[in-house]
DNA sequence: CTCAATTTGTTCGTATGTATG
DNA sequence: ACATACATACGAACAAATTGA
C-alpha cells in the first residue's frame, strides 16, 4: 500500500452523481493522457485501485473494461493491466488569429443552408463595435467537411452587400464571398472566442451530445465608415477546436 | 429488451451517463443564466419539455424539483413554472495573446499549492516545441480570485531554474516568477488553447460540474538554446474564458 | 519442477438509484 | 402512487493464469 493519499469518491458529493466506474475511468484516462502511465506500462493492480478509490473490485473492473473498449488498456490474467495506446487527439480546426488564415481555409467549404424560421432580426452590436447598417440579411448554415458537420453558422450581412450576390452568399461561406468582393473596403475585423455547451438544436446539427462543450466564435467586420457589414456567430464542437498563439518568438527563422 | 430507442438526449454515450434529470436540469439552468428565461418568466410547460428532451414527465419534474431546491424555479399547480432567481454571469477571464498581457494579470495571483501525489514525471514535449531540459520540477496549484477557484494549473519548470527560487515558485504563479527572474533569456513563448470537459478531479478543484466545458491552455517557454524551461497546463472553467482576436484594424487611432 | 504469491477473471446475492408508462 | 425494468455498486468467495523463489 504505497502510502497514497486515498481520495475515496464521496457518496454525497454533488458531483458524484456520475456513475462511479465512469469517475474511476476518467481518472485513469487522465493518467494515461498525462503520461503518468506510458504505453507498455503496467498500471496499478485491481487491489490497489480498489483501495485508492474506495470502490469494489467489480467496479474497478468495469472502468478498466471501458478503457479496454477504447483500446487504451489491455488486461492479462495473472500478469496485470497494461497501457496499449497513447491518447492522441484528433485533427483540429485551427482558429484564425489573422484575416488571411481566417478566410483561406474556408474558401472552398461546402455550406448547407438551413431554413430561417425566425424572422431575421437585427444582430446585436455593442456600442464600441461599430454602427449598425440599415438592414441585414440573415443566413443559417451547417458547414461540412465531407459528410461530417463541423460548424453551425448564423450570419448577418448588410443587406446592401448581400444584394450584390445573393446566390454566392447562399452557396459559400459568407466571409469568403465578402473577402473576394471588389470595392468592399474592410476597415476592421474582430473575432471573439468563448466557450459554451450545446443546446438541443446545436447538438442536433453538429451531431454531438446536448451540453457537450462548444466553441463560440463571433466575428465582426466593419467598413471604412465604421459600419458593421458582417456579424457571424459560428459554433464548433469543442473537441476539434484549437488555437495557437505566438506570445514571443525571437528565434531566427 | 425495452431499452431500445432512447437517444433523444444522450446520443453520444460519452458524457451522457449522467442521470437524465441532471442533464435536463443543467440545460434549464443554462437557459436561466443566459437570460433566455428572465426572473418572473414562465418557463416551457412540462409537456413541451418532455417532448423537447424526449424524457418522461416524471423525469422533467425531477429536474425542476432540483432547481426549485436551488431556489431558481417555483412551480404553481395550474399556472406553470416560473423563474424566481437570476444566475449572474461571472466576470470574464481574458486570455492573453501576447506575453505582457499573459503575465501582467496573474502577477499578484494567489496560488494554493496542491500535493503532488504522483511522482513528478517529465512533461510531454513535441519534437517541434524544443529540446527537453535534463529534469523538471512539477507543481500543481489552484489559482484563486478571492475565495473562488478559477484555474487549475499543472506546471513543469526546468529544475535548474526552479532551484534558484523554490519558495517563490511555491507561492506565486510560476510564469510571473519566471518573467521577473534576471538572466533568463526567453526566446520563445507559445500558447495553445483547446476545449475540453471537466473530469472528476478538475470538477472538484474548480467547483464546477463534471463534464462542464473547460478551456485548456498549454503554454511552452523556451530559452535561447531552444531548451524548454517551462510547460504549463492551465484549466479554466469554460464559462469564464473569453479571447479577443484583432484580425484587421486599419482605423486611425 | 513444485509451490506460493500475485493478479486478473467470474459468479452470486443483495441493495439502491434511475426512468418508464 | 405503482409495478416494472435496467443500471449501478457492494462484498465475498472462488477460479485461472503467471511469475519467481
Amino acid at each position: 500500500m504505497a502510502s497514497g493519499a486515498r481520495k475515496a469518491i464521496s457518496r454525497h458529493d454533488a458531483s458524484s452523481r456520475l456513475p462511479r466506474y465512469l469517475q474511476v475511468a476518467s481518472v485513469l484516462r487522465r493518467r494515461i493522457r498525462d503520461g503518468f502511465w506510458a504505453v507498455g506500462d503496467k498500471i496499478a493492480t485491481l487491489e490497489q485501485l480498489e483501495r485508492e478509490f474506495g470502490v469494489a473490485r467489480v467496479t474497478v473492473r468495469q472502468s478498466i473494461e471501458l478503457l479496454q473498449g477504447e483500446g487504451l488498456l489491455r488486461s492479462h490474467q495473472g500478469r496485470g493491466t497494461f497501457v496499449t495506446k497513447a491518447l492522441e487527439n484528433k485533427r483540429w480546426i485551427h482558429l484564425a488569429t489573422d484575416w488571411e488564415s481566417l478566410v483561406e481555409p474556408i474558401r472552398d467549404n461546402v455550406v448547407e443552408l438551413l431554413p430561417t424560421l425566425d424572422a431575421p432580426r437585427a444582430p446585436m452590436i455593442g456600442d464600441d463595435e461599430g454602427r449598425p447598417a440599415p438592414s441585414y440579411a440573415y443566413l443559417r448554415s451547417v458547414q461540412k467537411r465531407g459528410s461530417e458537420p463541423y460548424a453551425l453558422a448564423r450570419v448577418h450581412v448588410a443587406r446592401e452587400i448581400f444584394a450584390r450576390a445573393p446566390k454566392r452568399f447562399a452557396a459559400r461561406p459568407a466571409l469568403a464571398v465578402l473577402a473576394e468582393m471588389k470595392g468592399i473596403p474592410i476597415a476592421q475585423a474582430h473575432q471573439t472566442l468563448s466557450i459554451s455547451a450545446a443546446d438541443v438544436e446545436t447538438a442536433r446539427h453538429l451531431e454531438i451530445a446536448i451540453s457537450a462543450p462548444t466553441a463560440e466564435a463571433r466575428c465582426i467586420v466593419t467598413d471604412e465608415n465604421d459600419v458593421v457589414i458582417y456579424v457571424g456567430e459560428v459554433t464548433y464542437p469543442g473537441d476539434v477546436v484549437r488555437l495557437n498563439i505566438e506570445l514571443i518568438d525571437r528565434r531566427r527563422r
Side-chain angles (χ1 to χ4, degrees), chain A residues 171-203:
Chain A
R172 302 187 40 221
L175 267 185
V177 178
L178 202 64
E180 288 167 12
M181 271 188 168
K182 307 293 181 193
I184 309 258
I186 292 173
Q188 213 190 344
H190 188 267
Q191 178 155 273
T192 303
L193 181 76
S194 61
I195 292 171
S196 183
D199 59 29
V200 180
E201 208 194 345
T202 306

Side-chain angles (χ1 to χ4, degrees), chain A residues 148-163:
Chain A
E148 271 202 9
Y150 80 94
L152 177 63
R154 300 170 295 286
V155 167
H156 295 265
V157 182
R159 189 166 300 279
E160 179 218 356
I161 290 173
F162 175 76

Side-chain angles (χ1 to χ4, degrees), chain A residues 63-85:
Chain A
S63 315
I64 290 177
E65 272 160 23
L66 187 74
L67 299 187
Q68 290 195 61
E70 295 175 15
L72 288 174
L73 292 179
R74 188 68 202 275
S75 293
H76 301 276
Q77 193 169 152
R79 293 210 287 138
T81 301
F82 299 81
V83 179
T84 48
K85 193 169 82 175

Side-chain angles (χ1 to χ4, degrees), chain A residues 20-253:
Chain A
R20 296 272 243 264
Y21 74 95
L22 288 180
Q23 298 189 37
V24 172
S26 119
V27 173
L28 300 186
R29 204 183 284 109
R30 171 180 276 271
R31 288 188 186 169
I32 295 169
R33 196 197 67 184
D34 292 355
F36 180 71
W37 292 315
V39 173
D41 281 5
K42 175 172 174 299
I43 72 168
T45 66
L46 288 186
E47 196 163 343
Q48 289 170 332
L49 294 173
E50 286 174 44
R51 266 206 302 272
E52 175 176 6
F53 298 115
V55 299
R57 181 192 202 71
V58 199
T59 307
V60 177
R61 283 187 48 78
Q62 209 173 347
S63 315
I64 290 177
E65 272 160 23
L66 187 74
L67 299 187
Q68 290 195 61
E70 295 175 15
L72 288 174
L73 292 179
R74 188 68 202 275
S75 293
H76 301 276
Q77 193 169 152
R79 293 210 287 138
T81 301
F82 299 81
V83 179
T84 48
K85 193 169 82 175
L87 213 42
E88 206 55 59
N89 252 317
K90 346 181 167 185
R91 48 197 209 295
W92 301 91
I93 294 167
H94 284 267
L95 276 195
T97 52
D98 62 274
W99 179 255
E100 253 319 298
S101 56
L102 174 64
V103 174
E104 217 288 310
I106 63 171
R107 206 178 286 283
D108 301 315
N109 272 6
V110 180
V111 313
E112 185 176 295
L113 226 58
L114 297 174
T116 316
L117 352 103
D118 19 34
R121 58 212 182 280
M124 295 209 290
I125 298 176
D127 293 337
D128 52 340
E129 294 180 320
R131 299 205 311 274
S135 155
Y136 290 90
Y138 180 64
L139 301 165
R140 282 165 77 232
S141 64
V142 176
Q143 319 250 330
K144 302 205 166 186
R145 208 154 51 170
S147 67
E148 271 202 9
Y150 80 94
L152 177 63
R154 300 170 295 286
V155 167
H156 295 265
V157 182
R159 189 166 300 279
E160 179 218 356
I161 290 173
F162 175 76
R164 296 194 204 175
K167 279 183 198 144
R168 275 200 283 159
F169 273 109
R172 302 187 40 221
L175 267 185
V177 178
L178 202 64
E180 288 167 12
M181 271 188 168
K182 307 293 181 193
I184 309 258
I186 292 173
Q188 213 190 344
H190 188 267
Q191 178 155 273
T192 303
L193 181 76
S194 61
I195 292 171
S196 183
D199 59 29
V200 180
E201 208 194 345
T202 306
R204 198 176 60 240
H205 286 126
L206 295 182
E207 293 172 14
I208 57 179
I210 290 178
S211 291
T214 59
E216 301 274 346
R218 181 162 184 273
C219 181
I220 288 213
V221 178
T222 62
D223 70 8
E224 66 214 325
N225 300 317
D226 202 34
V227 171
V228 176
I229 56 177
Y230 170 95
V231 181
E233 291 161 10
V234 182
T235 305
Y236 303 90
D239 56 2
V240 296
V241 169
R242 174 169 278 199
L243 190 75
N244 285 312
I245 306 161
E246 212 61 59
L247 300 159
I248 301 181
D249 193 351
R250 289 202 259 271
R251 288 176 307 176
R252 53 226 159 274
R253 304 279 184 130

